[in-house]
């Protein structure tokens, strides 16, 4: 059971907007800790996608965006491409002094 | 550009100790960064194990704290993980990564699969 809750799977067509939610609690996201997102293609290491809630590292396409409100955060993919099929993880920090992850969401591009 | 590479035995016997090293290249491990370990059991999600800074200070996941020891060797520019009393549940790909001040992890190593089996 992950500390942060994500839907197991989402899907969308290239012309759509897909969102992945990440729900935490008052001891992590709600305590003001930043949320970060990673993309993991099977067989490879996770790759940083969004950091500090809304920021994209250099090289990440602008179709990826992040937001945070209260005890939750979201990753949006506007017009997903075939190469975006992957597992997506949110991550934050907890007042128990531990980094915490969501359980992961598999994105299928229709 | 900082790169990380995990190394160590790929097979550990039950009740034994898992030992991995993460070698940092393209930068100094003595910079003011924390260095972290994350693991991923086959087909499952990510679990944070803990982190260490160049002073040797550590923070461990409370769920693993009793079995984990991390160390750092500035002369070799690497840091290490030891996990004691392993069981099959510790079978996973183990990743090392650099931690940012706001606790995101980047970059990551490619990962090392460690299997616990007799």
């Amino acid at each position: 059971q992950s500390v942060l809750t994500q839907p197991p799977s989402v899907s969308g067509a290239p012309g759509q907007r897909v969102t992945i939610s990440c729900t935490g609690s008052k001891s992590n996201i709600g305590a003001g800790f930043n949320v970060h997102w990673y993309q993991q293609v099977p067989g490879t290491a996770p790759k940083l996608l969004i950091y500090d809630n809304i920021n994209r590292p250099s090289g990440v396409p602008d179709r990826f965006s992040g937001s945070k409100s209260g005890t939750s955060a979201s990753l949006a993919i506007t017009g997903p491409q075939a190469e975006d099929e992957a597992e997506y993880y949110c991550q934050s920090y907890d007042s128990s002094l531990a980094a915490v992850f969501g359980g992961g969401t598999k994105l299928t591009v229709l | 550009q900082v790169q990380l590479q995990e190394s160590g035995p790929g097979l550990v016997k039950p009740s034994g100790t898992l030992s991995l090293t993460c070698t940092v290249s393209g930068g100094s491990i003595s910079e003011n960064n924390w260095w972290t370990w994350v693991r991923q059991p086959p087909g499952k999600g990510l679990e944070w194990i803990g982190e260490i800074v160049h002073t040797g200070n550590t923070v461990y996941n409370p769920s693993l704290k009793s079995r984990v020891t991390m160390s750092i060797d500035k002369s070799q520019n690497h840091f290490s993980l030891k996990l004691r009393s392993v069981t099959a549940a510790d079978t996973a790909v183990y990743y090392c990564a650099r931690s940012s001040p706001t606790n995101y992890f980047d970059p990551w190593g490619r990962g090392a699969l460690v299997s616990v089996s007799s």
Side-chain angles (χ1 to χ4, degrees), chain A residues 36 38 40 45 52 89 91 98-99, chain B residues 40 48 95 102-105 109:
Chain A
H36 320 294
Y38 303 88
Q40 186 178 34
D52 296 348
Y89 292 92
Q91 178 247 317
Chain B
Q40 184 173 36
W48 180 75
Y95 296 101
T102 54
N103 298 300
Y104 63 84
F105 308 131

Side-chain angles (χ1 to χ4, degrees), chain A residues 2-109:
Chain A
S2 300
V3 174
L4 305 179
T5 301
Q6 298 179 232
S9 63
V10 296
S11 61
Q16 298 179 323
R17 183 173 187 265
V18 176
T19 61
I20 299 173
S21 60
C22 175
T23 303
S25 67
K26 292 180 180 179
S27 69
N28 41 68
I29 299 175
F33 293 109
N34 289 332
V35 178
H36 320 294
W37 293 89
Y38 303 88
Q39 178 191 63
Q40 186 178 34
V41 175
T44 69
K47 169 192 166 186
L48 182 66
L49 197 65
I50 297 287
Y51 67 96
D52 296 348
N53 307 316
I54 61 172
N55 298 303
R56 283 189 311 274
S58 173
V60 172
D62 60 6
R63 61 179 179 272
F64 293 96
S65 61
S67 64
K68 174 191 166 185
S69 178
T71 58
S72 296
S74 289
L75 173 70
I77 309 166
T78 303
Q81 304 298 303
E83 62 264 30
D84 298 336
E85 284 207 341
E87 196 84 15
Y88 292 84
Y89 292 92
C90 61
Q91 178 247 317
S92 186
Y93 203 75
D94 192 271
S95 301
S96 62
L97 298 182
V100 290
F101 287 96
T105 300
K106 181 176 174 56
L107 169 66
T108 300
V109 180

Side-chain angles (χ1 to χ4, degrees), chain B residues 53-66:
Chain B
V53 71
H54 64 89
T55 58
N57 288 354
T58 55
V59 181
Y60 299 143
N61 187 326
S63 69
L64 296 169
K65 187 175 183 177
S66 63

